[in-house]
Amino acid sequence: MTIYVWGYLQEYEQERNDILEAVDEVFRSGQLVWGPRVTGFESEFAAYHGVSHCVAVDNGTNALVVALRAMGIGPGDEVITVSNTAAPTVVAICAVGATPVFVDVDPDTYLMRVDQVAAAISERTRVLLPVHLYGQCVDMAPLEALAAQHGLQILEDCAQAHGARHHGRVAGSMGRAGAFSFYPTKVLGAYGHAGGTITSDAELSAEMRRLRYYGMDEERYYVVARNGMNSRLDEVHAEILRRKLRRLDEYIHARRTAAANYAEALSDTDIVLPATAPGNDHVYYVYVVRHPQRDKIIERMKSFDISLNISYPWPVHTMTGFAHLGVPKGSLPVTEAVADEIFSLPMYPSVLGTDQEKVIDALRETLATL
């Protein structure tokens, strides 16, 4: 049986009764959209992060879009972020009509080079958008200082960092808002698309709530206050997420255990293991390693029925869909260099045990034959 970089079937068997009970409860309730399960999840997710508000939406991309729009971002504005990220980060910026401005990444952690941000700020810059990538946080103190100095807003992309902490502060609680995806692969994943944005700014929260529901005030249905969109989380996924949220710390513990197993078993090889930045509590959404013969390794691992992944093989600025940004190849040298060598090992709570042992043994054998 093939071992994939992510899988949920073993986890589902362990949680099946609870998940099916959640689905049945919603179906029997008579309310499928925008009811007490959504508001319950919003309240509990906000509380987990120590913030006042959570606005649940239908996917992680729209979590960013709704937040950017609520922040007043649109055509003519610039948002500073990175190219070493999932494309939705940049899709969301472009969706509101703003222009993404890229800085490079650190060669060890692959996170935003915060020391390059000041030089990237222009009179059009409105938002700093750090991506808490692979399960750990960007160094936020310098960004907070820059935001205060230049009157900028910070929107954290937390799609890969549920429960991650930076000097004790949880991802998503450090900027004006933090956007999350609950796509099935995530540390906290639904059984389909889901997303949400957290904030302690009551005005921003109210605006995001309007925007996710066509621009209507929730107290005055059918009256559009401003042009919005339809981006609501349904009751089924909200109830599933509520129940899984109670197990989030267990998921993180299992991922950290798996990461420790990899580190111990592979420390004597020439593969470059993940580096954790100072002050970070890593949650290992993905376990990203690096090797100059990456492509050979991935191909040979297939013979062991192990399918690996690359996050991400093509930096966003090199994609034809973003050619209009005019960012030349070579302008982000570290981002481009690591894209040729990084790849991900299987990482999810239920990989612990026999499956992880198979991955480690196969990888060690593969490395020995290069």
Side-chain angles (χ1 to χ4, degrees), residues 294-318:
R294 184 263 313 275
D295 295 341
K296 284 185 178 179
I297 293 171
I298 291 176
E299 188 61 31
R300 291 184 186 182
M301 289 288 281
K302 292 177 183 177
S303 66
F304 296 94
D305 283 331
I306 297 171
S307 178
L308 304 181
N309 187 39
I310 306 170
S311 297
Y312 299 93
W314 302 285
V316 173
H317 72 283
T318 68

mmCIF file with all atom_site columns, all heavy atoms in Angstrom, residues 294-318:
data_model
loop_
_atom_site.group_PDB
_atom_site.id
_atom_site.type_symbol
_atom_site.label_atom_id
_atom_site.label_alt_id
_atom_site.label_comp_id
_atom_site.label_asym_id
_atom_site.label_entity_id
_atom_site.label_seq_id
_atom_site.pdbx_PDB_ins_code
_atom_site.Cartn_x
_atom_site.Cartn_y
_atom_site.Cartn_z
_atom_site.occupancy
_atom_site.B_iso_or_equiv
_atom_site.pdbx_formal_charge
_atom_site.auth_seq_id
_atom_site.auth_comp_id
_atom_site.auth_asym_id
_atom_site.auth_atom_id
_atom_site.pdbx_PDB_model_num
ATOM 1   N N   . ARG A 1 294 ? 17.395 15.953 -5.213  1.00 0.00 ? 294 ARG A N   1
ATOM 2   C CA  . ARG A 1 294 ? 15.988 15.806 -4.830  1.00 0.00 ? 294 ARG A CA  1
ATOM 3   C C   . ARG A 1 294 ? 15.175 14.969 -5.810  1.00 0.00 ? 294 ARG A C   1
ATOM 4   O O   . ARG A 1 294 ? 14.454 14.043 -5.422  1.00 0.00 ? 294 ARG A O   1
ATOM 5   C CB  . ARG A 1 294 ? 15.392 17.213 -4.684  1.00 0.00 ? 294 ARG A CB  1
ATOM 6   C CG  . ARG A 1 294 ? 13.958 17.298 -4.200  1.00 0.00 ? 294 ARG A CG  1
ATOM 7   C CD  . ARG A 1 294 ? 12.911 17.444 -5.292  1.00 0.00 ? 294 ARG A CD  1
ATOM 8   N NE  . ARG A 1 294 ? 13.138 18.404 -6.322  1.00 0.00 ? 294 ARG A NE  1
ATOM 9   C CZ  . ARG A 1 294 ? 12.839 19.700 -6.255  1.00 0.00 ? 294 ARG A CZ  1
ATOM 10  N NH1 . ARG A 1 294 ? 12.383 20.235 -5.147  1.00 0.00 ? 294 ARG A NH1 1
ATOM 11  N NH2 . ARG A 1 294 ? 13.032 20.473 -7.312  1.00 0.00 ? 294 ARG A NH2 1
ATOM 12  N N   . ASP A 1 295 ? 15.271 15.280 -7.076  1.00 0.00 ? 295 ASP A N   1
ATOM 13  C CA  . ASP A 1 295 ? 14.425 14.600 -8.063  1.00 0.00 ? 295 ASP A CA  1
ATOM 14  C C   . ASP A 1 295 ? 14.740 13.111 -8.156  1.00 0.00 ? 295 ASP A C   1
ATOM 15  O O   . ASP A 1 295 ? 13.825 12.286 -8.299  1.00 0.00 ? 295 ASP A O   1
ATOM 16  C CB  . ASP A 1 295 ? 14.575 15.259 -9.435  1.00 0.00 ? 295 ASP A CB  1
ATOM 17  C CG  . ASP A 1 295 ? 14.060 16.696 -9.443  1.00 0.00 ? 295 ASP A CG  1
ATOM 18  O OD1 . ASP A 1 295 ? 13.275 17.050 -8.532  1.00 0.00 ? 295 ASP A OD1 1
ATOM 19  O OD2 . ASP A 1 295 ? 14.441 17.470 -10.337 1.00 0.00 ? 295 ASP A OD2 1
ATOM 20  N N   . LYS A 1 296 ? 16.011 12.750 -8.058  1.00 0.00 ? 296 LYS A N   1
ATOM 21  C CA  . LYS A 1 296 ? 16.372 11.332 -8.054  1.00 0.00 ? 296 LYS A CA  1
ATOM 22  C C   . LYS A 1 296 ? 15.809 10.624 -6.831  1.00 0.00 ? 296 LYS A C   1
ATOM 23  O O   . LYS A 1 296 ? 15.332 9.488  -6.909  1.00 0.00 ? 296 LYS A O   1
ATOM 24  C CB  . LYS A 1 296 ? 17.896 11.173 -8.082  1.00 0.00 ? 296 LYS A CB  1
ATOM 25  C CG  . LYS A 1 296 ? 18.549 11.422 -9.426  1.00 0.00 ? 296 LYS A CG  1
ATOM 26  C CD  . LYS A 1 296 ? 20.041 11.102 -9.355  1.00 0.00 ? 296 LYS A CD  1
ATOM 27  C CE  . LYS A 1 296 ? 20.707 11.296 -10.702 1.00 0.00 ? 296 LYS A CE  1
ATOM 28  N NZ  . LYS A 1 296 ? 22.169 11.002 -10.645 1.00 0.00 ? 296 LYS A NZ  1
ATOM 29  N N   . ILE A 1 297 ? 15.882 11.294 -5.698  1.00 0.00 ? 297 ILE A N   1
ATOM 30  C CA  . ILE A 1 297 ? 15.370 10.703 -4.460  1.00 0.00 ? 297 ILE A CA  1
ATOM 31  C C   . ILE A 1 297 ? 13.879 10.438 -4.568  1.00 0.00 ? 297 ILE A C   1
ATOM 32  O O   . ILE A 1 297 ? 13.398 9.342  -4.250  1.00 0.00 ? 297 ILE A O   1
ATOM 33  C CB  . ILE A 1 297 ? 15.671 11.622 -3.258  1.00 0.00 ? 297 ILE A CB  1
ATOM 34  C CG1 . ILE A 1 297 ? 17.173 11.695 -3.013  1.00 0.00 ? 297 ILE A CG1 1
ATOM 35  C CG2 . ILE A 1 297 ? 14.940 11.133 -2.003  1.00 0.00 ? 297 ILE A CG2 1
ATOM 36  C CD1 . ILE A 1 297 ? 17.579 12.745 -2.003  1.00 0.00 ? 297 ILE A CD1 1
ATOM 37  N N   . ILE A 1 298 ? 13.142 11.422 -5.042  1.00 0.00 ? 298 ILE A N   1
ATOM 38  C CA  . ILE A 1 298 ? 11.692 11.258 -5.166  1.00 0.00 ? 298 ILE A CA  1
ATOM 39  C C   . ILE A 1 298 ? 11.365 10.109 -6.109  1.00 0.00 ? 298 ILE A C   1
ATOM 40  O O   . ILE A 1 298 ? 10.477 9.286  -5.838  1.00 0.00 ? 298 ILE A O   1
ATOM 41  C CB  . ILE A 1 298 ? 11.048 12.574 -5.662  1.00 0.00 ? 298 ILE A CB  1
ATOM 42  C CG1 . ILE A 1 298 ? 11.138 13.647 -4.561  1.00 0.00 ? 298 ILE A CG1 1
ATOM 43  C CG2 . ILE A 1 298 ? 9.590  12.353 -6.057  1.00 0.00 ? 298 ILE A CG2 1
ATOM 44  C CD1 . ILE A 1 298 ? 10.622 14.999 -4.991  1.00 0.00 ? 298 ILE A CD1 1
ATOM 45  N N   . GLU A 1 299 ? 12.085 10.011 -7.217  1.00 0.00 ? 299 GLU A N   1
ATOM 46  C CA  . GLU A 1 299 ? 11.817 8.950  -8.193  1.00 0.00 ? 299 GLU A CA  1
ATOM 47  C C   . GLU A 1 299 ? 12.142 7.582  -7.616  1.00 0.00 ? 299 GLU A C   1
ATOM 48  O O   . GLU A 1 299 ? 11.361 6.628  -7.778  1.00 0.00 ? 299 GLU A O   1
ATOM 49  C CB  . GLU A 1 299 ? 12.635 9.206  -9.457  1.00 0.00 ? 299 GLU A CB  1
ATOM 50  C CG  . GLU A 1 299 ? 12.301 8.276  -10.609 1.00 0.00 ? 299 GLU A CG  1
ATOM 51  C CD  . GLU A 1 299 ? 10.859 8.372  -11.076 1.00 0.00 ? 299 GLU A CD  1
ATOM 52  O OE1 . GLU A 1 299 ? 10.271 9.478  -10.979 1.00 0.00 ? 299 GLU A OE1 1
ATOM 53  O OE2 . GLU A 1 299 ? 10.319 7.329  -11.507 1.00 0.00 ? 299 GLU A OE2 1
ATOM 54  N N   . ARG A 1 300 ? 13.262 7.448  -6.927  1.00 0.00 ? 300 ARG A N   1
ATOM 55  C CA  . ARG A 1 300 ? 13.643 6.143  -6.382  1.00 0.00 ? 300 ARG A CA  1
ATOM 56  C C   . ARG A 1 300 ? 12.747 5.719  -5.223  1.00 0.00 ? 300 ARG A C   1
ATOM 57  O O   . ARG A 1 300 ? 12.537 4.518  -5.008  1.00 0.00 ? 300 ARG A O   1
ATOM 58  C CB  . ARG A 1 300 ? 15.110 6.191  -5.942  1.00 0.00 ? 300 ARG A CB  1
ATOM 59  C CG  . ARG A 1 300 ? 16.076 6.303  -7.118  1.00 0.00 ? 300 ARG A CG  1
ATOM 60  C CD  . ARG A 1 300 ? 17.531 6.241  -6.682  1.00 0.00 ? 300 ARG A CD  1
ATOM 61  N NE  . ARG A 1 300 ? 18.421 6.487  -7.813  1.00 0.00 ? 300 ARG A NE  1
ATOM 62  C CZ  . ARG A 1 300 ? 19.739 6.448  -7.745  1.00 0.00 ? 300 ARG A CZ  1
ATOM 63  N NH1 . ARG A 1 300 ? 20.337 6.169  -6.582  1.00 0.00 ? 300 ARG A NH1 1
ATOM 64  N NH2 . ARG A 1 300 ? 20.480 6.680  -8.808  1.00 0.00 ? 300 ARG A NH2 1
ATOM 65  N N   . MET A 1 301 ? 12.223 6.686  -4.477  1.00 0.00 ? 301 MET A N   1
ATOM 66  C CA  . MET A 1 301 ? 11.328 6.343  -3.366  1.00 0.00 ? 301 MET A CA  1
ATOM 67  C C   . MET A 1 301 ? 10.020 5.726  -3.866  1.00 0.00 ? 301 MET A C   1
ATOM 68  O O   . MET A 1 301 ? 9.351  4.988  -3.138  1.00 0.00 ? 301 MET A O   1
ATOM 69  C CB  . MET A 1 301 ? 11.040 7.575  -2.524  1.00 0.00 ? 301 MET A CB  1
ATOM 70  C CG  . MET A 1 301 ? 12.237 8.059  -1.701  1.00 0.00 ? 301 MET A CG  1
ATOM 71  S SD  . MET A 1 301 ? 12.650 6.983  -0.304  1.00 0.00 ? 301 MET A SD  1
ATOM 72  C CE  . MET A 1 301 ? 11.399 7.495  0.873   1.00 0.00 ? 301 MET A CE  1
ATOM 73  N N   . LYS A 1 302 ? 9.672  5.992  -5.114  1.00 0.00 ? 302 LYS A N   1
ATOM 74  C CA  . LYS A 1 302 ? 8.465  5.391  -5.687  1.00 0.00 ? 302 LYS A CA  1
ATOM 75  C C   . LYS A 1 302 ? 8.572  3.879  -5.737  1.00 0.00 ? 302 LYS A C   1
ATOM 76  O O   . LYS A 1 302 ? 7.562  3.171  -5.642  1.00 0.00 ? 302 LYS A O   1
ATOM 77  C CB  . LYS A 1 302 ? 8.205  5.947  -7.088  1.00 0.00 ? 302 LYS A CB  1
ATOM 78  C CG  . LYS A 1 302 ? 7.801  7.412  -7.122  1.00 0.00 ? 302 LYS A CG  1
ATOM 79  C CD  . LYS A 1 302 ? 7.630  7.889  -8.557  1.00 0.00 ? 302 LYS A CD  1
ATOM 80  C CE  . LYS A 1 302 ? 7.288  9.370  -8.624  1.00 0.00 ? 302 LYS A CE  1
ATOM 81  N NZ  . LYS A 1 302 ? 7.190  9.860  -10.040 1.00 0.00 ? 302 LYS A NZ  1
ATOM 82  N N   . SER A 1 303 ? 9.782  3.357  -5.898  1.00 0.00 ? 303 SER A N   1
ATOM 83  C CA  . SER A 1 303 ? 9.963  1.902  -5.953  1.00 0.00 ? 303 SER A CA  1
ATOM 84  C C   . SER A 1 303 ? 9.665  1.233  -4.616  1.00 0.00 ? 303 SER A C   1
ATOM 85  O O   . SER A 1 303 ? 9.459  0.021  -4.543  1.00 0.00 ? 303 SER A O   1
ATOM 86  C CB  . SER A 1 303 ? 11.394 1.560  -6.398  1.00 0.00 ? 303 SER A CB  1
ATOM 87  O OG  . SER A 1 303 ? 12.339 1.963  -5.425  1.00 0.00 ? 303 SER A OG  1
ATOM 88  N N   . PHE A 1 304 ? 9.625  2.039  -3.549  1.00 0.00 ? 304 PHE A N   1
ATOM 89  C CA  . PHE A 1 304 ? 9.255  1.528  -2.220  1.00 0.00 ? 304 PHE A CA  1
ATOM 90  C C   . PHE A 1 304 ? 7.782  1.798  -1.923  1.00 0.00 ? 304 PHE A C   1
ATOM 91  O O   . PHE A 1 304 ? 7.334  1.631  -0.784  1.00 0.00 ? 304 PHE A O   1
ATOM 92  C CB  . PHE A 1 304 ? 10.112 2.203  -1.143  1.00 0.00 ? 304 PHE A CB  1
ATOM 93  C CG  . PHE A 1 304 ? 11.582 1.895  -1.237  1.00 0.00 ? 304 PHE A CG  1
ATOM 94  C CD1 . PHE A 1 304 ? 12.446 2.748  -1.921  1.00 0.00 ? 304 PHE A CD1 1
ATOM 95  C CD2 . PHE A 1 304 ? 12.115 0.756  -0.641  1.00 0.00 ? 304 PHE A CD2 1
ATOM 96  C CE1 . PHE A 1 304 ? 13.800 2.479  -2.000  1.00 0.00 ? 304 PHE A CE1 1
ATOM 97  C CE2 . PHE A 1 304 ? 13.474 0.480  -0.723  1.00 0.00 ? 304 PHE A CE2 1
ATOM 98  C CZ  . PHE A 1 304 ? 14.324 1.338  -1.401  1.00 0.00 ? 304 PHE A CZ  1
ATOM 99  N N   . ASP A 1 305 ? 7.029  2.250  -2.937  1.00 0.00 ? 305 ASP A N   1
ATOM 100 C CA  . ASP A 1 305 ? 5.627  2.646  -2.754  1.00 0.00 ? 305 ASP A CA  1
ATOM 101 C C   . ASP A 1 305 ? 5.503  3.802  -1.769  1.00 0.00 ? 305 ASP A C   1
ATOM 102 O O   . ASP A 1 305 ? 4.595  3.844  -0.928  1.00 0.00 ? 305 ASP A O   1
ATOM 103 C CB  . ASP A 1 305 ? 4.760  1.471  -2.300  1.00 0.00 ? 305 ASP A CB  1
ATOM 104 C CG  . ASP A 1 305 ? 4.427  0.525  -3.437  1.00 0.00 ? 305 ASP A CG  1
ATOM 105 O OD1 . ASP A 1 305 ? 4.369  0.985  -4.588  1.00 0.00 ? 305 ASP A OD1 1
ATOM 106 O OD2 . ASP A 1 305 ? 4.238  -0.682 -3.167  1.00 0.00 ? 305 ASP A OD2 1
ATOM 107 N N   . ILE A 1 306 ? 6.403  4.756  -1.889  1.00 0.00 ? 306 ILE A N   1
ATOM 108 C CA  . ILE A 1 306 ? 6.364  5.956  -1.065  1.00 0.00 ? 306 ILE A CA  1
ATOM 109 C C   . ILE A 1 306 ? 6.343  7.164  -1.990  1.00 0.00 ? 306 ILE A C   1
ATOM 110 O O   . ILE A 1 306 ? 7.240  7.351  -2.819  1.00 0.00 ? 306 ILE A O   1
ATOM 111 C CB  . ILE A 1 306 ? 7.568  6.027  -0.112  1.00 0.00 ? 306 ILE A CB  1
ATOM 112 C CG1 . ILE A 1 306 ? 7.530  4.849  0.868   1.00 0.00 ? 306 ILE A CG1 1
ATOM 113 C CG2 . ILE A 1 306 ? 7.582  7.360  0.645   1.00 0.00 ? 306 ILE A CG2 1
ATOM 114 C CD1 . ILE A 1 306 ? 8.767  4.707  1.708   1.00 0.00 ? 306 ILE A CD1 1
ATOM 115 N N   . SER A 1 307 ? 5.290  7.969  -1.872  1.00 0.00 ? 307 SER A N   1
ATOM 116 C CA  . SER A 1 307 ? 5.102  9.124  -2.745  1.00 0.00 ? 307 SER A CA  1
ATOM 117 C C   . SER A 1 307 ? 5.409  10.400 -1.961  1.00 0.00 ? 307 SER A C   1
ATOM 118 O O   . SER A 1 307 ? 4.723  10.713 -0.988  1.00 0.00 ? 307 SER A O   1
ATOM 119 C CB  . SER A 1 307 ? 3.665  9.164  -3.270  1.00 0.00 ? 307 SER A CB  1
ATOM 120 O OG  . SER A 1 307 ? 3.452  10.296 -4.080  1.00 0.00 ? 307 SER A OG  1
ATOM 121 N N   . LEU A 1 308 ? 6.439  11.123 -2.392  1.00 0.00 ? 308 LEU A N   1
ATOM 122 C CA  . LEU A 1 308 ? 6.839  12.358 -1.719  1.00 0.00 ? 308 LEU A CA  1
ATOM 123 C C   . LEU A 1 308 ? 6.288  13.571 -2.475  1.00 0.00 ? 308 LEU A C   1
ATOM 124 O O   . LEU A 1 308 ? 5.699  13.441 -3.537  1.00 0.00 ? 308 LEU A O   1
ATOM 125 C CB  . LEU A 1 308 ? 8.364  12.419 -1.608  1.00 0.00 ? 308 LEU A CB  1
ATOM 126 C CG  . LEU A 1 308 ? 9.020  11.220 -0.915  1.00 0.00 ? 308 LEU A CG  1
ATOM 127 C CD1 . LEU A 1 308 ? 10.531 11.405 -0.837  1.00 0.00 ? 308 LEU A CD1 1
ATOM 128 C CD2 . LEU A 1 308 ? 8.429  10.992 0.477   1.00 0.00 ? 308 LEU A CD2 1
ATOM 129 N N   . ASN A 1 309 ? 6.496  14.735 -1.907  1.00 0.00 ? 309 ASN A N   1
ATOM 130 C CA  . ASN A 1 309 ? 5.892  15.945 -2.450  1.00 0.00 ? 309 ASN A CA  1
ATOM 131 C C   . ASN A 1 309 ? 6.897  17.091 -2.388  1.00 0.00 ? 309 ASN A C   1
ATOM 132 O O   . ASN A 1 309 ? 7.878  17.026 -1.641  1.00 0.00 ? 309 ASN A O   1
ATOM 133 C CB  . ASN A 1 309 ? 4.637  16.303 -1.638  1.00 0.00 ? 309 ASN A CB  1
ATOM 134 C CG  . ASN A 1 309 ? 3.867  17.452 -2.257  1.00 0.00 ? 309 ASN A CG  1
ATOM 135 O OD1 . ASN A 1 309 ? 3.759  17.531 -3.475  1.00 0.00 ? 309 ASN A OD1 1
ATOM 136 N ND2 . ASN A 1 309 ? 3.335  18.330 -1.430  1.00 0.00 ? 309 ASN A ND2 1
ATOM 137 N N   . ILE A 1 310 ? 6.646  18.144 -3.165  1.00 0.00 ? 310 ILE A N   1
ATOM 138 C CA  . ILE A 1 310 ? 7.491  19.336 -3.141  1.00 0.00 ? 310 ILE A CA  1
ATOM 139 C C   . ILE A 1 310 ? 6.626  20.546 -2.792  1.00 0.00 ? 310 ILE A C   1
ATOM 140 O O   . ILE A 1 310 ? 5.675  20.857 -3.502  1.00 0.00 ? 310 ILE A O   1
ATOM 141 C CB  . ILE A 1 310 ? 8.177  19.577 -4.499  1.00 0.00 ? 310 ILE A CB  1
ATOM 142 C CG1 . ILE A 1 310 ? 8.950  18.338 -4.944  1.00 0.00 ? 310 ILE A CG1 1
ATOM 143 C CG2 . ILE A 1 310 ? 9.091  20.793 -4.418  1.00 0.00 ? 310 ILE A CG2 1
ATOM 144 C CD1 . ILE A 1 310 ? 9.460  18.417 -6.371  1.00 0.00 ? 310 ILE A CD1 1
ATOM 145 N N   . SER A 1 311 ? 6.982  21.230 -1.734  1.00 0.00 ? 311 SER A N   1
ATOM 146 C CA  . SER A 1 311 ? 6.272  22.441 -1.330  1.00 0.00 ? 311 SER A CA  1
ATOM 147 C C   . SER A 1 311 ? 7.269  23.616 -1.242  1.00 0.00 ? 311 SER A C   1
ATOM 148 O O   . SER A 1 311 ? 7.854  23.841 -0.210  1.00 0.00 ? 311 SER A O   1
ATOM 149 C CB  . SER A 1 311 ? 5.620  22.234 0.041   1.00 0.00 ? 311 SER A CB  1
ATOM 150 O OG  . SER A 1 311 ? 4.653  21.226 0.020   1.00 0.00 ? 311 SER A OG  1
ATOM 151 N N   . TYR A 1 312 ? 7.560  24.306 -2.348  1.00 0.00 ? 312 TYR A N   1
ATOM 152 C CA  . TYR A 1 312 ? 6.840  24.298 -3.618  1.00 0.00 ? 312 TYR A CA  1
ATOM 153 C C   . TYR A 1 312 ? 7.861  24.280 -4.738  1.00 0.00 ? 312 TYR A C   1
ATOM 154 O O   . TYR A 1 312 ? 8.899  24.938 -4.633  1.00 0.00 ? 312 TYR A O   1
ATOM 155 C CB  . TYR A 1 312 ? 5.920  25.515 -3.706  1.00 0.00 ? 312 TYR A CB  1
ATOM 156 C CG  . TYR A 1 312 ? 4.899  25.499 -2.597  1.00 0.00 ? 312 TYR A CG  1
ATOM 157 C CD1 . TYR A 1 312 ? 5.143  26.157 -1.411  1.00 0.00 ? 312 TYR A CD1 1
ATOM 158 C CD2 . TYR A 1 312 ? 3.727  24.748 -2.730  1.00 0.00 ? 312 TYR A CD2 1
ATOM 159 C CE1 . TYR A 1 312 ? 4.221  26.099 -0.383  1.00 0.00 ? 312 TYR A CE1 1
ATOM 160 C CE2 . TYR A 1 312 ? 2.800  24.701 -1.709  1.00 0.00 ? 312 TYR A CE2 1
ATOM 161 C CZ  . TYR A 1 312 ? 3.058  25.366 -0.537  1.00 0.00 ? 312 TYR A CZ  1
ATOM 162 O OH  . TYR A 1 312 ? 2.160  25.295 0.493   1.00 0.00 ? 312 TYR A OH  1
ATOM 163 N N   . PRO A 1 313 ? 7.602  23.552 -5.827  1.00 0.00 ? 313 PRO A N   1
ATOM 164 C CA  . PRO A 1 313 ? 8.603  23.414 -6.893  1.00 0.00 ? 313 PRO A CA  1
ATOM 165 C C   . PRO A 1 313 ? 8.779  24.659 -7.750  1.00 0.00 ? 313 PRO A C   1
ATOM 166 O O   . PRO A 1 313 ? 9.823  24.826 -8.380  1.00 0.00 ? 313 PRO A O   1
ATOM 167 C CB  . PRO A 1 313 ? 8.068  22.247 -7.723  1.00 0.00 ? 313 PRO A CB  1
ATOM 168 C CG  . PRO A 1 313 ? 6.587  22.261 -7.482  1.00 0.00 ? 313 PRO A CG  1
ATOM 169 C CD  . PRO A 1 313 ? 6.414  22.726 -6.069  1.00 0.00 ? 313 PRO A CD  1
ATOM 170 N N   . TRP A 1 314 ? 7.765  25.520 -7.795  1.00 0.00 ? 314 TRP A N   1
ATOM 171 C CA  . TRP A 1 314 ? 7.832  26.712 -8.628  1.00 0.00 ? 314 TRP A CA  1
ATOM 172 C C   . TRP A 1 314 ? 7.495  27.938 -7.785  1.00 0.00 ? 314 TRP A C   1
ATOM 173 O O   . TRP A 1 314 ? 6.355  28.103 -7.351  1.00 0.00 ? 314 TRP A O   1
ATOM 174 C CB  . TRP A 1 314 ? 6.867  26.623 -9.810  1.00 0.00 ? 314 TRP A CB  1
ATOM 175 C CG  . TRP A 1 314 ? 7.118  25.435 -10.681 1.00 0.00 ? 314 TRP A CG  1
ATOM 176 C CD1 . TRP A 1 314 ? 8.136  25.283 -11.584 1.00 0.00 ? 314 TRP A CD1 1
ATOM 177 C CD2 . TRP A 1 314 ? 6.360  24.223 -10.708 1.00 0.00 ? 314 TRP A CD2 1
ATOM 178 N NE1 . TRP A 1 314 ? 8.055  24.050 -12.184 1.00 0.00 ? 314 TRP A NE1 1
ATOM 179 C CE2 . TRP A 1 314 ? 6.972  23.371 -11.671 1.00 0.00 ? 314 TRP A CE2 1
ATOM 180 C CE3 . TRP A 1 314 ? 5.230  23.765 -10.044 1.00 0.00 ? 314 TRP A CE3 1
ATOM 181 C CZ2 . TRP A 1 314 ? 6.493  22.109 -11.963 1.00 0.00 ? 314 TRP A CZ2 1
ATOM 182 C CZ3 . TRP A 1 314 ? 4.755  22.499 -10.320 1.00 0.00 ? 314 TRP A CZ3 1
ATOM 183 C CH2 . TRP A 1 314 ? 5.375  21.686 -11.270 1.00 0.00 ? 314 TRP A CH2 1
ATOM 184 N N   . PRO A 1 315 ? 8.447  28.821 -7.550  1.00 0.00 ? 315 PRO A N   1
ATOM 185 C CA  . PRO A 1 315 ? 8.132  30.068 -6.846  1.00 0.00 ? 315 PRO A CA  1
ATOM 186 C C   . PRO A 1 315 ? 7.031  30.828 -7.573  1.00 0.00 ? 315 PRO A C   1
ATOM 187 O O   . PRO A 1 315 ? 6.959  30.803 -8.812  1.00 0.00 ? 315 PRO A O   1
ATOM 188 C CB  . PRO A 1 315 ? 9.459  30.828 -6.875  1.00 0.00 ? 315 PRO A CB  1
ATOM 189 C CG  . PRO A 1 315 ? 10.504 29.757 -7.003  1.00 0.00 ? 315 PRO A CG  1
ATOM 190 C CD  . PRO A 1 315 ? 9.884  28.705 -7.872  1.00 0.00 ? 315 PRO A CD  1
ATOM 191 N N   . VAL A 1 316 ? 6.199  31.500 -6.828  1.00 0.00 ? 316 VAL A N   1
ATOM 192 C CA  . VAL A 1 316 ? 5.036  32.168 -7.415  1.00 0.00 ? 316 VAL A CA  1
ATOM 193 C C   . VAL A 1 316 ? 5.452  33.148 -8.510  1.00 0.00 ? 316 VAL A C   1
ATOM 194 O O   . VAL A 1 316 ? 4.808  33.223 -9.567  1.00 0.00 ? 316 VAL A O   1
ATOM 195 C CB  . VAL A 1 316 ? 4.228  32.883 -6.314  1.00 0.00 ? 316 VAL A CB  1
ATOM 196 C CG1 . VAL A 1 316 ? 3.120  33.729 -6.939  1.00 0.00 ? 316 VAL A CG1 1
ATOM 197 C CG2 . VAL A 1 316 ? 3.627  31.865 -5.351  1.00 0.00 ? 316 VAL A CG2 1
ATOM 198 N N   . HIS A 1 317 ? 6.517  33.896 -8.307  1.00 0.00 ? 317 HIS A N   1
ATOM 199 C CA  . HIS A 1 317 ? 6.885  34.935 -9.269  1.00 0.00 ? 317 HIS A CA  1
ATOM 200 C C   . HIS A 1 317 ? 7.355  34.369 -10.599 1.00 0.00 ? 317 HIS A C   1
ATOM 201 O O   . HIS A 1 317 ? 7.446  35.105 -11.585 1.00 0.00 ? 317 HIS A O   1
ATOM 202 C CB  . HIS A 1 317 ? 7.954  35.870 -8.688  1.00 0.00 ? 317 HIS A CB  1
ATOM 203 C CG  . HIS A 1 317 ? 9.311  35.253 -8.576  1.00 0.00 ? 317 HIS A CG  1
ATOM 204 N ND1 . HIS A 1 317 ? 9.647  34.360 -7.580  1.00 0.00 ? 317 HIS A ND1 1
ATOM 205 C CD2 . HIS A 1 317 ? 10.440 35.392 -9.340  1.00 0.00 ? 317 HIS A CD2 1
ATOM 206 C CE1 . HIS A 1 317 ? 10.902 33.993 -7.722  1.00 0.00 ? 317 HIS A CE1 1
ATOM 207 N NE2 . HIS A 1 317 ? 11.409 34.589 -8.783  1.00 0.00 ? 317 HIS A NE2 1
ATOM 208 N N   . THR A 1 318 ? 7.635  33.041 -10.657 1.00 0.00 ? 318 THR A N   1
ATOM 209 C CA  . THR A 1 318 ? 8.066  32.424 -11.917 1.00 0.00 ? 318 THR A CA  1
ATOM 210 C C   . THR A 1 318 ? 6.905  31.824 -12.692 1.00 0.00 ? 318 THR A C   1
ATOM 211 O O   . THR A 1 318 ? 7.100  31.332 -13.802 1.00 0.00 ? 318 THR A O   1
ATOM 212 C CB  . THR A 1 318 ? 9.107  31.324 -11.650 1.00 0.00 ? 318 THR A CB  1
ATOM 213 O OG1 . THR A 1 318 ? 8.481  30.220 -10.965 1.00 0.00 ? 318 THR A OG1 1
ATOM 214 C CG2 . THR A 1 318 ? 10.271 31.847 -10.830 1.00 0.00 ? 318 THR A CG2 1
#
